[in-house]
Amino acid sequence: MIVRRLIAVLGVGALLAAAGCGGSAPSGAAVDAAGSGDGPVRIGALHPVSGSMAVDGLQMRRGAQLAVEQINESGGIASLGGRRVQLTTADTQGKPEIGQSEAQRLISDGAVGLVGTYQSSVSSNVAVVAERNEVPFVMDVTASDEIFQHGYRHSFRVQPGSAKISESAADHLKQVSEQAGEPAGRVAVLHEQTDFGTGAADTFEAAARKLGMEVGPRVSYDATTASDFTSQITQVKASDADVLVVAGYYGDSLLIAQAIDAVKPDLDAVWGVSNGAYDQPKFVSDAGELGDRYFSTNYHFDAQNPETRRLRAEYRQRFGAPMRTGAVLSYDAVQAIAAGVEEAGSTDPAAVRNGIARAQIDPLTVGDGPVRFGPDGENVNSAAVLMQIQNGRVKQVYPPEKAESDPDYSVAW
């Protein structure tokens, strides 16, 4: 199993077992085994393990479970006498109202911290529950920045937010297209219609225009009901856009790729922005050659990190599938709570919350340094990276210091 390193918050003797996590029941609630000092410290994991997002949700639940197993194999939570950690889980079904009720159930059942949820609309509701109960909520995958505009004190996020990813995407597109001698002029945008896709499209459009690119057409869709994108891609083809930006989830993004293959618009590149498919190994296998050389600016597991490679090898061995970035982020989110609990030496939620705010961990995802949360709960060292599918593999291609290979912008669609 993988031993993670906590940085600058603990003494050396505590570091080896500091990958635990926990908290207490909310203020005023009855203390059960999780907070009594003699039972496991429970963390709640909320992900969609049924419905259209189930593949990613199950991956993320497994990533959280691997982190819990590593914590316990390393001796539990050292500052609490080696108490073990237990993962309690909930299926959000991809529905905000169910995520909200399930978050309350997990807290009432003794969860002392929450991780989740993959979907911004669900995380928005869970954040309200966490704030009301004063229980830390560390978001693994949640792109929307709107949650962090309310002044919540108990919400944290490991991944870069929508604005950071979208602004990076516009910059990546400008730099890579100009280096290839084919500067992007007109960019079409296709995005799913919830806060996630709309926020990504809004920020990308503003950043791209600022960099001198024209944007349009811009087309939104319902990812839960869409079954064919021929008409939307035909509209893109008629626009003479150089590049198509896609901000969507896995299933809809795969359908878009299939429509591109059928309609064959004259594009220089397809560019995912916070996209749920175009940097996934499953997309490579599902799409085959039609997805070759697709770009994606997003958060990503750190392909250069030996610990990440070991974790992903273990995941594949146990579950028979490649470990996606969302699952690695769930692993990191649990470790972030672990650092907070170890720092606090307590399951009191106020102490745990302050411990998380002070703690730092080495992430297994790409970043500009250790995971460290600012006053607003954002990871100040989060970073987006540009990836591209090349010869059947997803590779990091930009910026140069994070690249596994050079970007290939010479695409003839």
Side-chain angles (χ1 to χ4, degrees), residues 4 10 64-65 70-71 80 101 124 224 284 286 312 324 344 369:
R4 301 291 308 281
L10 304 169
Q65 183 60 45
Q70 187 274 318
I71 291 161
L80 297 180
S101 61
S124 294
T224 64
V284 176
D286 288 349
R312 297 188 72 242
R324 300 183 181 183

Side-chain angles (χ1 to χ4, degrees), residues 3 42 61 131 149 153 186 199 226 313 327 332 391 401-402:
V3 179
R42 298 175 187 157
R61 177 183 287 185
E131 195 70 16
Q149 297 171 2
R153 297 190 70 253
R186 175 176 289 276
D332 278 347
N391 299 317
E401 63 271 17
K402 302 182 188 301

